[in-house]
């Protein structure tokens, strides 16, 4: 018998359980990818992002457009051959997010 490994059981033999897991996955995706996101525009380049602060140290940022299209930091990195996600942000966007937290526009949802 060949051993197999799976990250999680697929519950193929338990249709009711499989449906429960799939339904919870939809809820989890909405919670972690959509809920609590606040739209912000970078004060420097006007790029729009969606931001959630999970704690004072954790920040989730979703770009609504290609960051290299507006942000000079990302445009320079893109021109130099860097791919998406490096760096994850720029200093001006970090300042915008900090200011939004300080002004109460962006809540820390712990």
């Amino acid at each position: 018998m060949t051993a197999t490994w799976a990250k999680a059981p697929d519950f193929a033999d338990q249709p009711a359980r499989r449906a429960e897991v799939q339904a919870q996955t939809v809820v989890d995706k909405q919670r972690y990818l959509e809920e609590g996101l606040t739209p912000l525009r970078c004060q420097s380049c006007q790029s729009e992002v969606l931001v959630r602060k999970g704690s004072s140290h954790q920040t989730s940022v979703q770009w609504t457009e290609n960051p290299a299209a507006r942000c000079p930091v990302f445009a320079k990195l893109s021109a130099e051959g860097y791919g998406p996600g490096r760096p994850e942000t720029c200093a001006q966007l970090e300042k915008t997010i900090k200011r939004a937290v300080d002004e109460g526009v962006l809540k820390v949802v712990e």
Side-chain angles (χ1 to χ4, degrees):
M1 180 172 173
T2 304
T4 60
W5 179 87
K7 183 175 180 182
D10 66 4
F11 300 109
D13 59 340
Q14 301 174 39
R17 179 70 178 128
R18 185 178 193 153
E20 289 173 8
V21 170
Q22 289 173 337
Q24 187 60 48
T25 299
V26 170
V27 171
D28 290 344
K29 282 183 178 180
Q30 180 174 355
R31 178 178 179 207
Y32 292 109
L33 298 178
E34 298 171 12
E35 285 181 7
L37 293 170
T38 301
L40 288 178
R41 285 205 179 273
C42 178
Q43 294 173 323
S44 179
C45 69
Q46 300 303 305
S47 291
E48 185 179 61
V49 295
L50 301 174
V51 182
R52 176 178 42 240
K53 288 290 290 175
S55 72
S56 59
H57 297 289
Q58 189 279 331
T59 305
S60 296
V61 175
Q62 291 185 16
W63 291 83
T64 60
E65 60 187 326
N66 177 358
R70 286 187 184 239
C71 178
V73 171
F74 282 95
K76 181 177 184 238
L77 290 170
S78 180
E80 293 172 356
Y82 289 90
R86 298 289 179 238
E88 295 176 359
T89 188
C90 73
Q92 295 304 316
L93 181 57
E94 287 178 3
K95 287 179 186 177
T96 299
I97 293 169
K98 183 182 179 325
R99 183 173 178 185
V101 170
D102 291 347
E103 292 178 352
V105 173
L106 180 61
K107 305 281 186 221
V108 178
V109 289
E110 297 188 47

